[in-house]
Amino acid sequence: MARVDRLKEEIGWLKVPFGLLLVIDASLLGWLAQSYDTSSPALVLAAGGATIAVSISLFRMNGIAYRRLRDIEES
């Protein structure tokens, strides 16, 4: 039973960085949508790269959470 509790705790912990990354991603996308034409190209490129990196991190974290859920189902 301790393994299931540990997995549940890991899923609960993953909610915090997932939420933070989600807010950062939405903020970057919003900034890009509003400021891409008035900002320097280097800044827009950096924000675009950051958005891509944060989005990839979100997808990976989502995959980790789903693996933990599958582990709980198997236990």
Side-chain angles (χ1 to χ4, degrees):
M1 193 65 167
R3 182 172 187 270
V4 172
D5 290 336
R6 184 182 57 83
L7 290 170
K8 286 180 184 179
E9 190 66 32
E10 284 182 26
I11 291 170
W13 181 85
L14 284 172
K15 291 177 188 178
V16 175
F18 186 82
L20 289 173
L21 285 174
L22 194 61
V23 169
I24 291 169
D25 202 29
S27 298
L28 282 169
L29 284 171
W31 182 86
L32 278 170
Q34 287 184 336
S35 305
Y36 73 94
D37 57 344
T38 59
S39 297
S40 69
L43 190 57
V44 171
L45 188 63
T51 302
I52 291 169
V54 170
S55 296
I56 290 171
S57 298
L58 277 169
F59 283 115
R60 292 191 66 191
M61 193 169 294
N62 192 35
I64 291 169
Y66 274 110
R67 267 182 279 167
R68 299 295 184 268
L69 287 172
R70 269 188 252 118
D71 289 344
I72 289 174
E73 288 177 354
E74 291 172 0
S75 294

